[in-house]
Amino acid sequence: MSEPINFYDLNQNGLTEFVVAAGHQKFRAKQLMKWVYHQGITEFSAMTDLSLAMRAWLAESVCFDLPEVVHHAVSKDGTAKWVVRLASGNCVETVLIPEKSEGRVRNTLCVSSQVGCMLDCTFCSTGKQGFNGNLSTAEIIGQVLIANQMLAERNEAVTNIVFMGMGEPLLNYEAVMAAADLMMDDFAFGLSKRRVTVSTAGLVPAIHEMMGRTDMSLAVSLHAPNDELRNGLVPLNRKYPIKELIRVCSDYIESLGERRSMTIEYTLMDGVNDKLSHAHELAELLANVRCKINLIPFNPFPGSGFKRPSMNRVRAFQTVLMQRGFATMLRTTRGDDIDAACGQLVGQVQDRTQRQARYREHLKAGRTAAQTRRIAAKELA
Ligand code: SAH
């Protein structure tokens, strides 16, 4: 007997192939999905519209393993965070951000897609953890199920999902795409494509691959209006410079039609990328791009070497962009009392890259993250 397959690893296509390969009819996949995702039933014996033979086969071939919650915290502002342990023993974090506006509830879930991150953006604490592998589709979907379980207590559910937790989702392409399929599938979570967003530091070839594969929304972590500045903040930029990145994003957005637009994320760091001249340069750069801009005041972590700008500076930056016609939102800091704000997600990563250990050593020696990186680059050279 082969290992059972994890139900939550399969999107509708995958599940259909799986049941068909075992000699069952194609529509059984949809029936199964309705039981599991709509009714919350994972006991095959209760699935009365399936034959006894099929139920017996399923019981032997399918499991419903989910990551285990090892820590849960709720912030003063209602933001909730879970630390979940994966099959590999590593832990990642998931954050739920509830908002109420005009009587409507929005529950945005920020999911992790990798254990740590390979990209090592200078201002992000996840990068400092090093990297230890990809999450499976089931481990991503598990995060949604865990949040929904808590929300069900108040008759609510996750309404929006952003791949803005730990990791670079487009470096875990297949698992992330399958998870996104399930999030947007009416037989599973049924969220609108406008409410499921993948966020990337700018993996150009993967954005290209998304065309025709998915119609989920796209956010790009830009953080700088020119290559010189961005090279120092997002090392990936040296491989895929801004022009190429903006071009492929525009192509993707246009491929979706229907007046879709993308999100530009811009973390503001005091004296680094928050000058008014940067705002004007950004406006020039994005002049022909269908986008809205999300400004994120930098969230500090020990030894980062960066500071959050004053609220005045943040507002001034926002004003320039708004005056130049860009819908520009300020992402208010949520959940920082439970270390759940952007760039504060660290999980517990058994680091394979030694970056974590090196970073800790340098912290002890009183060096900043930027200095640490420079030293590390020299060590590697
Ligand atoms: N790797 C993907 C997904 C991570 S999203 C990406 O880069 O888009 C997390 C978002 O928070 C990104 O926009 C990231 O740049 C931003 N961020 C990281 N560290 C931060 C910090 N310390 N303060 C504020 N925002 C931060």
Side-chain angles (χ1 to χ4, degrees):
M1 266 253 37
S2 53
E3 282 277 297
I5 191 153
N6 192 331
F7 186 85
Y8 302 116
D9 269 330
L10 300 175
N11 61 6
Q12 192 180 136
N13 278 344
L15 187 63
T16 306
E17 271 172 33
F18 180 67
V19 298
V20 168
H24 300 281
Q25 289 145 302
K26 201 173 147 191
F27 72 94
R28 298 291 180 199
K30 288 183 180 157
Q31 275 179 313
L32 270 166
M33 288 177 74
K34 282 205 265 184
W35 280 114
V36 175
Y37 291 110
H38 295 182
Q39 313 284 336
I41 287 175
T42 53
E43 287 292 324
F44 293 115
S45 56
M47 301 184 185
T48 45
D49 53 1
L50 307 178
S51 70
L52 282 175
M54 184 174 185
R55 285 188 249 168
W57 165 70
L58 286 166
E60 280 184 358
S61 344
V62 175
C63 68
F64 293 92
D65 292 348
L66 287 176
E68 181 199 352
V69 176
V70 291
H71 175 72
H72 175 57
V74 182
S75 153
K76 295 196 291 275
D77 65 21
T79 303
K81 176 169 100 166
W82 292 266
V83 179
V84 300
R85 187 185 294 127
L86 311 175
S88 63
N90 290 289
C91 293
V92 297
E93 304 190 357
T94 308
V95 176
L96 176 74
I97 306 144
E99 287 162 302
K100 276 203 179 74
S101 70
E102 292 154 22
R104 285 188 46 198
V105 179
R106 193 151 104 160
N107 287 311
T108 303
L109 190 70
C110 180
V111 295
S112 291
S113 57
Q114 295 189 308
V115 181
C117 190
M118 288 205 280
L119 296 182
D120 202 17
C121 299
T122 46
F123 53 90
C124 179
S125 66
T126 300
K128 305 293 161 265
Q129 299 292 298
F131 174 74
N132 201 17
N134 285 325
L135 268 67
S136 65
T137 298
E139 288 167 338
I140 298 169
I141 290 302
Q143 299 172 54
V144 186
L145 293 169
I146 287 165
N148 272 345
Q149 204 169 33
M150 182 190 93
L151 288 169
E153 290 166 18
R154 46 185 203 243
N155 278 322
E156 291 176 16
V158 168
T159 60
N160 297 60
I161 298 174
V162 293
F163 283 88
M164 295 184 188
M166 295 168 67
E168 166 52 45
L170 295 187
L171 283 175
N172 184 11
Y173 185 83
E174 294 301 335
V176 163
M177 289 301 137
D181 290 342
L182 286 168
M183 292 164 184
M184 298 185 289
D185 189 329
D186 285 340
F187 288 94
F189 298 94
L191 298 178
S192 137
K193 57 199 174 203
R194 293 166 195 275
R195 291 168 175 241
V196 180
T197 304
V198 67
S199 177
T200 177
L203 220 72
V204 168
I207 301 170
H208 200 266
E209 247 184 280
M210 280 169 60
M211 269 180 262
R213 167 66 181 84
T214 182
D215 56 2
M216 72 197 295
S217 299
L218 176 67
V220 167
S221 296
L222 195 62
H223 312 310
N226 61 60
D227 285 324
E228 199 190 345
L229 187 53
R230 194 166 192 265
N231 283 344
L233 297 173
V234 182
L236 185 68
N237 195 69
R238 292 181 208 137
K239 200 156 177 197
Y240 306 115
I242 293 180
K243 254 214 184 90
E244 273 178 47
L245 175 58
I246 299 288
R247 190 178 319 124
V248 75
C249 290
S250 299
D251 288 350
Y252 177 70
I253 290 304
E254 274 156 35
S255 79
L256 303 177
E258 306 171 58
R259 299 167 55 220
R260 297 279 293 276
S261 76
M262 65 178 294
T263 304
I264 299 286
E265 296 164 271
Y266 196 104
T267 297
L268 286 163
M269 287 159 269
D270 193 45
V272 175
N273 63 352
D274 66 339
K275 303 195 177 94
L276 296 186
S277 60
H278 292 134
H280 285 289
E281 203 181 344
L282 187 63
E284 296 299 323
L285 177 70
L286 300 174
N288 297 311
V289 182
R290 273 192 263 161
C291 65
K292 59 181 173 40
I293 302 171
N294 247 336
L295 298 177
I296 318 168
F298 174 70
N299 291 311
F301 59 90
S304 72
F306 294 108
K307 284 203 312 247
R308 180 186 296 184
S310 71
M311 220 39 210
N312 279 345
R313 266 179 98 90
V314 171
R315 294 263 182 232
F317 197 92
Q318 182 186 26
T319 304
V320 168
L321 293 170
M322 305 237 286
Q323 280 169 348
R324 298 195 54 158
F326 292 90
T328 310
M329 256 77 73
L330 201 57
R331 195 182 288 170
T332 47
T333 298
R334 298 279 307 257
D336 53 350
D337 55 332
I338 54 166
D339 282 340
C342 302
Q344 291 185 328
L345 303 188
V346 293
Q348 252 174 46
V349 180
Q350 291 156 17
D351 186 16
R352 269 206 309 234
T353 57
Q354 308 289 309
R355 198 191 298 146
Q356 194 180 129
R358 205 186 301 127
Y359 179 66
R360 257 201 238 109
E361 232 172 72
H362 288 301
L363 262 187
K364 258 193 263 162
R367 297 190 194 103
T368 66
Q371 287 166 331
T372 304
R373 278 171 39 76
R374 274 196 295 275
I375 294 165
K378 261 189 222 139
E379 279 168 10
L380 289 174

